[in-house]
Amino acid sequence: MGEIATCSNSRSSELSPEEERVLIRDIAMTAETNSSEGDSFYLITQRWWQSWIEYVNQEQQNGINDGSSSLEHSDPVCSSKRPASIDNSDLIYDGTSEDSNISIEIQDSLLEGRDYVLLPQEVWSQLHSWYGGGPTLARKVISSGLSQTELAVEVYPLRLQLLVTPKDDRWTIRISKKETIGELHRKACEIFDLSLEQVCIWDYYGHRKHALMNDMDRTLDDANIQMDQDILVEVLNNVNGTALSGYKSSIQDNGSSKKEASSILLEPSKSSFSIAGGLSASTGGSKSCGSELSQGQNPITLGRELDNTYGSSGVTTRGSSGGLIGLLNLGNTCFMNSAIQCLVHTPEFAKYFREDYHQEINWQNPLGMVGELALAFGELLRKLWAPGRTSIAPRPFKAKLARFAPQFSGYNQHDSQELLAFLLDGLHEDLNRVKHKPYIKSRDADGRPDEEVADEYWANHIARNDSIIVDVCQGQYKSTLVCPVCNKISVTFDPFMYLSLPLQSTTTRSITVTVFSCDGSALPFACNLNVPKQGRCRDLIQALSNSCSLKNNEELKLAEVRNHTFQQFLEDPLISLSTIKDDDHLVAYKIPKSGKKTLLLRLIHRWQEPLTISTQNGSGCYPNWTPFVSVVACDELTRGDIQTVVQRMLSPLLKSEIRAKSGDIIDSLTPSNTCHDSKSDEKCCDPLTDSVNKNNNSSKATESLKLPLQLVDENNECVDLTVGEEKAIRVSSSSTSILVYLDWSQELLKMYDTHFLESLPEVCKYGPVNKKARTEPLSLYTCLEAFLREEPLVPEDMWLCPKCKERRQASKKLDLWRLPEVLVIHLKRFSYSRSMKHKLETFVNFPIHDFDLTKYVANKNNTQRQLYELYALTNHYGGMGSGHYTAYIKLLDENRWYNFDDNHISPINEEEVRSPAAYVLFYRRLKCADAASNGQPDAAYSNGSSHK
């Protein structure tokens, strides 16, 4: 393969990057326009594809005007290298053979756009002819969607594991869901050398016969065959068409010939899987193979003795009683299954949808889904409560969900709470009893009693929103806003469907900033600070100034660094710290104060590679490491001045042996000790003037340590600063900064210790949860108090003060006022950053019985105790990429808890319910007489007594 790649590269070298780009673009447009069912698409690793995109677009990148002082554009980069051979090895499992495509198995958790892209056959063929490499990963285009008119690429065909009993021989195959039952029948017979007349196929879910698959022209998709589904292929007696009588004896003899009774079992794999890209392909053509049973034989009775042989332990969902029915995982749909199980086991919903709810469907509501979501949910709930049913594949419901909420389409993992929020809101609008919503203008409280205002708000809400969802799940809280300017107090009473409680019990946030000294007085260091969560940039600057002992003649320049260049400078002191994400990289530069007009010098490091065959179109220069910032005087600025400033910034990085050889020179570039005496800060000379004086007095130093600097002038041209040190640099009067590149060579690297510049810590680095955090649970009451406490609004939620008539960032406090029959509590385990979610593994200790909210209800007219009992919850295990959802449900009729893990259901003890992975909690209101412990706190709730 290496020789082929080399030959292909030599032929491709005749084309420029622009010619390659245009040719591939034209081929791709033609291929995608003419795509049809049965066409082949090819997977190619995103890493290689991105490198090729950068290579063929380098002329456009180099043409961007980045030499201006504005930070809105990225800094210019040098030409990208030509990619090496295509290497798809990161898409397949280690050790996978490349001798045959049949044996190549791609990894289960790949995502389109993150791990791979799909290319039409013509595009792949052209790229492969140029670059070679592999392995080749072809997938077929199939029809999909409700009408089967949409085209999709089947990236993950069905994976089926064949198990032959009694020999326990196994064979795993891949087959498209668009193949027929007859084709599966034929493949099984071919693998194990059986005749078609000997075999019949059963849906063998849970090792129990479910349905005979005798319609050979029906597709596996139509037969509702799922990934890793169990299938039993039963071998019949050649004489009378019954199961071979020798089956049991062959088990006792521990072996039999291929003509004796045997069965083929497709057993689910233990590994998880993910269907990426949403579209899929298959291997092999579609054939229809028939298989006839002997006349007079009832196929339902065939092999009945096998039912007892493979009995399953625990609770089975095949033929189970109402409420104990699982949902098949259609491909990363555990988030949906867990949420649905909690809703269908809410007693009020179970009763409502099992009765005639159709008369309440609002067919004309423009905010609803014309009743289709309610119908799909109601039909699914009835199936889950029907006695004697098997596990259900919620395909129709998921299809409706994808239609009205495209964010949940495809087969990627999603957030269970986000789905719950959509379902509750969507079901409410579909079942809203209000056909024509009146317009109602809310009145201000104007000193009226809270009870009167709250009832008015609730009446206005009910006049527009009246449904089973409102009856069961909606409550009301009191929202108090205080204007920071006029102290105007505004009170509103707003409805809520669920409570999202924060898990952090503190009001501070940890932020890491790397500090650089531009005067060369110290090495860079990381500084960890605690700042207010809702604070502003000035709070961070103040904390940083105190931590790094900022002198009176110094100031801090705070910047966000991304991809080794400056993303933005945080100069506005009122910027909210909430805009700084956990995965950002912040750098603070200590620069001198000066009364003179100055320019900001932005120094970008570049790695300079030697010219090779693969970098024929450029020198291989790329931004690298952490950029520097300093200031220079505008008046009479020369090339030598910039050399001196840059040398001073880099002086702490000089290696000890270099420093020893050039001691006098280094001393002339390093600030004197008197300038660092805190008592003489006020008397220090102007740092900028001192910089110029040092330049005049150390010409020998600048010649010995001259650096390869390139200045990007106002015409976007590079100026070599290694020559003509006395030459003045012309800068426009409107310019506020200059851009300089330092091209590092191998010789220069030998002089400096650059590991201080190689990586920057994130603002907040999430690591594994330590044991101490796990042994100190966070009380659910503490989370509730953190949610209700007074906090300032973020800038995005600024409030229009009715007195000032201007938008203000007011402080806000919440109080519970009207509690619902079912209280849904979302534990906010995920914090969002710019590129990912972070999960908080904090253990929340929540009560199962007698969750007492009496003290948190501001409505004192209600004298009854507000007690709730847990009846359902969803759990989230693992991280975002490989997480899994389950549900714990209490069947009230049985007073027993069960674990619903997709289609697998098992009983659990109440001690197991208080899960460390709890994500969404469902509580039902208790009547006083129903309190499980006569109003006493949950005995097992160790942290609940503190709230009294």
Side-chain angles (χ1 to χ4, degrees), residues 626-800:
T626 305
F628 277 20
V629 159
S630 187
V631 290
V632 293
C634 293
D635 300 334
E636 300 180 357
L637 179 63
T638 66
R639 299 180 181 182
D641 293 337
I642 297 179
Q643 278 280 350
T644 301
V645 172
V646 175
Q647 291 164 6
R648 179 178 298 169
M649 286 191 290
L650 295 178
S651 60
L653 305 180
L654 277 167
K655 294 182 178 179
S656 56
E657 58 271 22
I658 303 299
R659 185 180 296 274
K661 293 180 182 178
S662 309
D664 295 338
I665 300 175
I666 302 305
D667 291 340
S668 69
L669 295 175
T670 305
S672 61
N673 294 332
T674 58
C675 278
H676 294 282
D677 187 350
S678 59
K679 297 180 180 180
S680 60
D681 280 344
E682 300 288 351
K683 301 179 181 179
C684 284
C685 57
D686 190 326
L688 299 179
T689 304
D690 184 54
S691 172
V692 175
N693 291 337
K694 282 186 170 65
N695 183 43
N696 295 332
N697 296 331
S698 58
S699 60
K700 178 180 179 181
T702 56
E703 291 181 5
S704 302
L705 297 176
K706 193 164 293 184
L707 299 172
L709 301 177
Q710 299 284 333
L711 170 69
V712 180
D713 65 12
E714 296 177 346
N715 297 321
N716 202 26
E717 296 179 355
C718 290
V719 178
D720 187 358
L721 300 182
T722 60
V723 295
E725 63 184 53
E726 300 297 334
K727 288 187 177 181
I729 295 177
R730 297 179 180 178
V731 181
S732 171
S733 58
S734 61
S735 296
T736 59
S737 67
I738 57 175
L739 177 64
V740 177
Y741 287 106
L742 172 56
D743 293 328
W744 287 83
S745 61
Q746 291 290 350
E747 292 73 16
L748 197 59
L749 286 173
K750 295 177 182 178
M751 300 175 59
Y752 291 91
D753 188 356
T754 58
H755 80 274
F756 294 98
L757 310 177
E758 291 175 357
S759 62
L760 281 175
E762 294 181 352
V763 164
C764 184
K765 182 66 175 179
Y766 284 81
V769 178
N770 56 37
K771 294 182 179 179
K772 182 178 179 181
R774 293 184 181 276
T775 58
E776 297 181 0
L778 186 63
S779 165
L780 183 62
Y781 290 103
T782 303
C783 298
L784 180 61
E785 290 163 359
F787 172 75
L788 297 175
R789 74 163 56 97
E790 183 175 356
E791 288 186 352
L793 295 176
V794 297
E796 294 78 10
D797 296 330
M798 292 183 70
W799 164 66
L800 180 61

Side-chain angles (χ1 to χ4, degrees), residues 874-894:
T874 63
N875 300 300
H876 182 274
Y877 300 94
M880 289 307 302
S882 57
H884 180 62
Y885 287 94
T886 66
Y888 290 166
I889 308 290
K890 183 178 184 179
L891 265 64
L892 301 182
D893 293 340
E894 299 183 18

Side-chain angles (χ1 to χ4, degrees), residues 223-456:
N224 201 23
I225 301 301
Q226 307 295 323
M227 181 75 76
D228 297 323
Q229 176 134 352
D230 301 348
I231 302 292
L232 179 67
V233 181
E234 190 175 43
V235 180
L236 307 177
N237 188 301
N238 288 333
V239 177
N240 54 19
T242 59
L244 288 181
S245 59
Y247 174 77
K248 291 184 179 179
S249 63
S250 66
I251 297 178
Q252 297 171 355
D253 296 339
N254 194 23
S256 64
S257 67
K258 293 181 180 178
K259 299 302 180 182
E260 292 177 335
S262 61
S263 63
I264 301 172
L265 176 65
L266 284 72
E267 204 173 42
S269 169
K270 299 302 181 183
S271 62
S272 61
F273 67 93
S274 171
I275 299 179
L279 310 176
S280 309
S282 94
T283 57
S286 175
K287 295 183 179 180
S288 179
C289 254
S291 176
E292 297 181 359
L293 299 174
S294 300
Q295 293 181 356
Q297 175 64 39
N298 184 356
I300 303 301
T301 62
L302 294 179
R304 184 167 293 171
E305 68 275 13
L306 299 183
D307 287 347
N308 297 327
T309 306
Y310 292 100
S312 59
S313 60
V315 178
T316 176
T317 61
R318 295 275 170 158
S320 61
S321 60
L324 282 179
I325 297 177
L327 291 169
L328 292 176
N329 194 318
L330 306 180
N332 280 336
T333 55
C334 57
F335 77 97
M336 181 182 74
N337 293 348
S338 60
I340 289 174
Q341 292 287 10
C342 290
L343 289 181
V344 301
H345 285 90
T346 298
E348 293 82 357
F349 293 159
K351 180 176 183 295
Y352 177 84
F353 284 98
R354 291 161 72 183
E355 296 175 350
D356 185 15
Y357 65 93
H358 296 80
Q359 60 184 356
E360 290 200 337
I361 292 180
N362 192 332
W363 306 100
Q364 290 82 32
N365 189 354
L367 300 179
M369 290 75 174
V370 292
E372 292 190 28
L373 184 65
L375 288 172
F377 179 81
E379 182 65 20
L380 180 58
L381 182 145
R382 292 186 178 203
K383 290 179 180 178
L384 290 173
W385 279 99
R389 288 193 60 88
T390 62
S391 285
I392 296 169
R395 287 182 182 277
F397 180 80
K398 188 176 187 307
K400 295 293 184 185
L401 184 67
R403 176 182 174 187
F404 295 109
Q407 65 269 30
F408 299 117
S409 61
Y411 295 92
N412 293 330
Q413 186 68 276
H414 296 282
D415 193 315
S416 179
Q417 187 272 334
E418 292 177 1
L419 173 69
L420 273 170
F422 170 80
L423 280 180
L424 289 174
D425 187 64
L427 290 174
H428 158 65
E429 296 296 352
D430 266 4
L431 298 169
N432 197 347
R433 304 178 184 110
V434 179
K435 308 304 179 184
H436 303 285
K437 295 186 177 184
Y439 171 75
I440 303 175
K441 184 177 181 180
S442 299
R443 292 193 301 157
D444 195 42
D446 289 333
R448 291 181 294 160
D450 284 348
E451 291 77 12
E452 177 185 340
V453 179
D455 289 345
E456 180 181 286

Side-chain angles (χ1 to χ4, degrees), residues 183-196:
E183 178 65 8
L184 175 61
H185 186 185
R186 187 193 64 79
K187 283 180 177 289
C189 293
E190 178 180 321
I191 291 171
F192 299 108
D193 194 20
L194 299 169
S195 63
L196 298 176

Side-chain angles (χ1 to χ4, degrees), residues 791-838:
E791 288 186 352
L793 295 176
V794 297
E796 294 78 10
D797 296 330
M798 292 183 70
W799 164 66
L800 180 61
C801 175
K803 185 175 180 179
C804 297
K805 304 300 182 182
E806 293 184 11
R807 304 193 71 82
R808 304 294 188 191
Q809 191 176 356
S811 59
K812 180 178 182 180
K813 186 181 186 305
L814 296 178
D815 293 285
L816 298 178
W817 186 267
R818 187 188 306 267
L819 294 178
E821 292 299 314
V822 169
L823 180 62
V824 181
I825 295 180
H826 165 224
L827 303 178
K828 297 177 68 174
R829 292 196 174 276
F830 301 111
S831 62
Y832 292 80
S833 64
R834 191 179 306 278
S835 59
M836 64 187 73
K837 285 182 180 180
H838 298 295

